[in-house]
Amino acid sequence: MHDQFDPPRLLRPSQRLRPLLLILVLFVVSVSALAGPPPAVAQDRILNLPREALTLLPGSCEVILVIGDPEQLDAGLHDLYRRVDSAAADTVSFLAMLDDFIPNVAAIIDPSRPVIVAWQVLSPLESAGIQRTVVLPLRKEMRDEVALSVLTGVPRVEVSGGYAALATDPDYQPGGRPPDLAGGLPAGDLVMRADLETIVTLYRPLVEMGLMVLAQQQQAAAAADSTATATEAYLLETLDSQTMATLTEIAGGFMDSARRLTVTAELADGQLELRKTLTIVPGSVLDPGPQPSFAEAIALTKYLPDDSAYLSVSAIDLATQLARFPALAEFLLQAATTEMSAEFADPYRAWLEQILTTAQYWSQPTVQTTDITDAGFRYVVLLQDDDASATLDRLISSYTALGTLDLGMTLEAVGTREIAGHTASGYRMAFDPAILAAATADTLAAVEYEDLLDLQAMFGLVVPVFWVTTTGDLVIACGDPRGESALAELLQKVQTEGGRVPAAVSAAHTWSGERTQYLVVGDLRRMMTGLLTIWTATGEDAPPVPPAGDPIDIRLAVGVGEHRLEVAAQVDLAELFGFIALLEEMETRDE
């Protein structure tokens, strides 16, 4: 049964495509991190569940899962697979998967009505562990408790109206009223909510004990050194003291902060939408507090180029969040230098510490747009700050300090220009592959020197000369194959208050909601095609560049509300799967 749910071949890209997909994912994640993270992701639609189904649930539960319309969900899955793998379309079914857990379920349920699953999470000290209750919508002819018990093999069955509860707990009793956890669930094809506060209360001692045992084992492994057992050696390699401190800090912060987690998923017309909402204990380490003005950040998008593959809007307090997790910051610093030669690690770490202090600037309203064209990489960053000149000086000083470390990477000044009445400074990244190889000898020992030269050539195409300047309360960075004229156009827009908020941004902001603090809109097809174009331009053996096609739209959003964090994502899976299949087909023809 499970074999039929294997992903189609197109979801397993060939070896040559994997680096491209990895680069794309890393690019989106890293740029998103620079722009900042949380919309009140709009979840105004409430799931309307039948009371007769809800009253069959136990009086209290810690996790609840709702499949609002199994028939519609299957139709969406079939439609998606038909677009990309018609042979697999008829084998993909949520109802068939449900049959793995409850025998003969297809003969029992009315698939046009909701299925509800509830879990009662008991103390780990209790032998009963986790108990599950499944509430099924029944066909009219299947409303006999004895017959249902025989068909499903579940000993405890309760029928009420058109629904039946099948419980693993032999002492199960219907709650008689909807449990609190089911109140106000948002609409979606799949909806899950977990009472994290209760679960943490039950399992925190076990988690803390587990972390303590791991820490003791790690210390024992460190003390044993060369005489360590295989298990101790593994712990020593993967869980050093800083990693343990980070795990403890993050786990403790989450357990102190988390109240409820709600997740929804919807699939329609090939589009997948995911939303997550975490409610937080007031005053806890994850409680976000006041945030910069997202309205001011949205207003900045009117100055951006009219069309781009990737656009982000951010107004979120990164500095405060970083300060709350010092062990995580230390872990990141150590991870960045652990593979470096000893003589380079300390100065590089000192530079990274300086870079981390610039988070206060990236916490201001910021917008960024990126594109990769045949001519090269194009991007614009606008950062709003009351003292824009001082902020730019500090940022440039921090980044140019990289050149003093003798690591083979330098932010190199190329001079100043008067552009549209503003003094602008130009910079480019310069590399010395020989020094870079020496600085990272452990990491790049197996890498050919020629590969480093190819990397340098690619980076030269991807990151051209960029220009920085200020105007009013704006810090501006602009890199474009057209050079100074692109910055001149941008400054002209700012000075004349020209342009307007892009339609795609306005639509995405409406989708994400009024609590939005971070928003991304983009076209994955253009990003992937652009990376392939740059790859080909280096002379490397790259997969063929596919022809133009319909956009693969993506939206990402993070929202901050009162004692809550929200995340939403939307992607056109049908177009994405089809695009990957096209790449593989073209690559096969090219071999």
Side-chain angles (χ1 to χ4, degrees), residues 17 20-21 528 532 543-546 578-588:
L17 286 177
L20 171 65
L21 299 177
M528 294 168 74
L532 284 171
V545 179
F579 180 72
I580 295 174
L582 174 62
L583 288 178
E584 291 201 335
E585 179 185 341
M586 293 176 64
E587 186 179 14
T588 301

Side-chain angles (χ1 to χ4, degrees), residues 21 77 105 146 177 203 206 419 456 564 578 582:
L21 299 177
L77 289 171
V105 72
V146 174
R177 62 176 179 80
Y203 278 81
L206 189 64
I419 301 176
Q456 180 188 25
R564 63 194 286 142
L582 174 62

Side-chain angles (χ1 to χ4, degrees), residues 44-88:
D44 295 329
R45 296 181 299 124
I46 301 300
L47 195 60
N48 185 21
L49 294 173
R51 182 175 176 81
E52 62 179 349
L54 291 173
T55 55
L56 281 172
L57 294 172
S60 65
C61 54
E62 283 65 55
V63 181
I64 187 169
L65 172 69
V66 179
I67 302 92
D69 187 333
E71 198 168 49
Q72 180 176 302
L73 178 60
D74 270 4
L77 289 171
H78 292 163
D79 177 63
L80 174 61
Y81 272 73
R82 269 194 295 271
R83 298 171 187 233
V84 297
D85 189 342
S86 57

